[in-house]
């Protein structure tokens, strides 16, 4: 799959997308029939124990992206560009985005977007780096905006629509819409030719994305607009408890987990 194929998916039926941070998750997501993987900077909160996505570095994202790419066969892998890796200096931003594609093997990058990313999106797509835009709640701006719903009045909703058009014109192949009212997301989706992928943006986007940790029930809780479809946290705890008990009770390792050598003299 290429960015040009995803571009054509607008209006074609709901597209499932999921975050992945490592090779096994990528392989399992693909086996579950999910072909769009986002290596989100949410890895910062969900896997690195940070309070926000802000501390995540380019090298960390490149490492997670490379792992996902190794685990995926056919899936389209989007690398999220971390805070301050773009937006200040264009050449530096291109170098960082290039690292994701050239070194880590991503198919595209995602930029938390605003007026500062329109030109960059244009530049990147021009030189062959597909860009997924991201509007609405953009967690990298949490010190500026907080982690609140966006587009909740006419002016703010119009700004999202305007920026969505600007990024489409700049060449973005799709647009993530996070935590915006469903009616705003619907309008943006109807207006654009590229697919919108919603998270907390209602049912009318062209696709949906959630973090894998929330979907499988690995994270401690879920955002109000998210949903757990499993209880991996519970299953993991049960397995670890069983292992601890087996070790403490002397049941593990059993005979079948051990091997002996007759040729070793003077040892039991
Ligand atoms: O980092 C992330 O996981 C994201 C989304 C969930 C859209 O940006």
């Amino acid at each position: 799959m290429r960015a040009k194929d995803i571009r054509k998916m607008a209006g074609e039926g709901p597209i499932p997308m999921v975050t992945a941070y490592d090779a096994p998750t990528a392989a399992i997501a693909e086996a579950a029939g999910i072909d769009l993987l986002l290596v989100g900077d949410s890895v910062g909160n969900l896997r690195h124990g940070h309070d926000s996505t802000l501390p995540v570095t380019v090298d960390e994202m490149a490492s997670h992206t490379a792992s996902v790419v190794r685990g995926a066969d056919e899936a389209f892998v989007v690398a999220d560009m971390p805070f301050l890796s773009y937006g200040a200096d264009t050449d530096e931003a291109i170098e960082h985005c290039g690292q994701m594609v050239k070194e880590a093997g991503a198919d595209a990058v995602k930029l938390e977007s605003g007026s500062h990313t329109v030109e960059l999106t244009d530049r990147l797509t021009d030189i062959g780096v597909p860009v997924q835009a991201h509007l609405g709640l953009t967690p990298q701006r949490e010190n500026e905006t907080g982690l609140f719903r966006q587009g909740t009045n006419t002016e703010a909703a119009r700004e999202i629509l305007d920026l969505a058009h600007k990024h489409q014109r700049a060449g973005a192949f799709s647009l993530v819409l996070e935590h915006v009212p469903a009616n705003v997301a619907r309008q943006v989706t109807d207006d654009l030719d590229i697919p919108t992928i919603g998270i907390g943006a209602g049912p009318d986007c062209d696709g949906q994305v959630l973090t894998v940790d929330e979907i499988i029930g690995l994270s401690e809780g879920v955002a109000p607009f998210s949903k757990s479809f499993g209880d991996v946290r519970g299953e993991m705890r049960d397995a670890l408890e069983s292992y601890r008990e087996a070790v403490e009770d002397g049941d593990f390792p059993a005979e079948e987990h051990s091997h002996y050598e007759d040729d070793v003299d003077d040892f039991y």
Side-chain angles (χ1 to χ4, degrees), residues 19 21 38-43 46 53 80 110 112 134 139 176 178 199 209-211 214:
T19 66
Y21 313 113
L38 170 64
V39 189
D41 63 352
S42 49
V43 72
L46 294 174
T53 59
D80 213 359
K110 175 167 83 59
E112 291 196 7
H134 178 166
V176 169
E178 180 164 354
I199 170 163
V209 60
L210 287 179
T211 68
E214 290 175 296

Side-chain angles (χ1 to χ4, degrees), residues 55 229 245:
F229 295 80
E245 281 165 16

Side-chain angles (χ1 to χ4, degrees), residues 81-96:
M81 296 310 298
F83 181 52
L84 295 187
S85 64
Y86 61 98
D89 178 77
T90 304
D91 288 343
E92 206 176 71
I94 290 175
E95 200 175 306
H96 291 148

Side-chain angles (χ1 to χ4, degrees), residues 77-202:
V77 178
V78 181
D80 213 359
M81 296 310 298
F83 181 52
L84 295 187
S85 64
Y86 61 98
D89 178 77
T90 304
D91 288 343
E92 206 176 71
I94 290 175
E95 200 175 306
H96 291 148
C97 295
Q99 187 178 341
M100 297 303 160
V101 176
K102 268 181 94 160
E103 291 172 27
D107 297 298
V109 298
K110 175 167 83 59
L111 305 176
E112 291 196 7
S113 310
S115 48
H116 63 298
T117 55
V118 178
E119 252 184 72
L120 179 60
T121 300
D122 198 11
R123 215 33 222 293
L124 285 165
T125 50
D126 252 9
I127 59 176
V129 178
V131 175
Q132 182 170 56
H134 178 166
L135 293 168
L137 173 60
T138 47
Q140 290 172 15
R141 295 175 69 82
E142 76 160 279
N143 289 338
E144 173 86 14
T145 57
L147 295 175
F148 305 113
R149 262 175 273 178
Q150 300 293 311
T152 52
N153 59 52
T154 310
E155 194 190 342
R158 283 210 176 112
E159 197 186 335
I160 290 173
L161 186 57
D162 179 51
L163 281 169
H165 276 288
K166 285 185 171 142
H167 283 82
Q168 174 172 276
R169 273 198 300 274
F173 71 88
S174 82
L175 167 68
V176 169
L177 280 173
E178 180 164 354
H179 217 187
V180 299
N183 48 323
V184 173
R186 181 174 180 180
Q187 184 70 54
V188 175
T189 303
D190 279 356
D191 267 36
L192 292 190
D193 297 325
I194 56 172
T196 57
I197 309 286
I199 170 163

